[in-house]
Amino acid sequence: MTKAFDIIQAPIITERTMSLKENFNKYTFKVLKSANKIEIKNAVEEIFKVKVLSVHTINVLPKRKRVGQHEGFKPAYKKAICKLADGQKIDAFEI
């Protein structure tokens, strides 16, 4: 069984995710590729001590990258969007 800190790899902080946070109380994380929604929910609740209502996951495909004549791909990853209960927030996203 994987630990909570292995499942949640990093927060994703962009303009779009900040808009989701402010308007809909949804937080976005980069997660372990093999993690399912239940494991992600339990990990977020354990790490941040909040109540998660729902989890949506997205498999982000690798993007083509070119530097000069060399071509390659950026790595693929899994993204999770977690909706929290009303009145709860995660302080790690505050800048």
Side-chain angles (χ1 to χ4, degrees), residues 12-23:
I12 298 176
I13 299 176
T14 62
E15 287 183 24
R16 182 163 186 236
T17 60
M18 290 296 108
S19 174
L20 284 174
K21 178 183 78 81
E22 293 168 2
N23 298 330

Side-chain angles (χ1 to χ4, degrees), residues 54-80:
S54 66
V55 176
H56 295 273
T57 59
I58 301 116
N59 284 315
V60 179
L61 298 176
K63 286 188 175 180
R64 190 183 216 48
K65 185 74 175 170
R66 180 177 169 168
V67 178
Q69 70 185 51
H70 303 288
E71 290 186 13
F73 288 94
K74 291 175 109 178
Y77 62 94
K78 190 174 206 177
K79 180 167 49 172

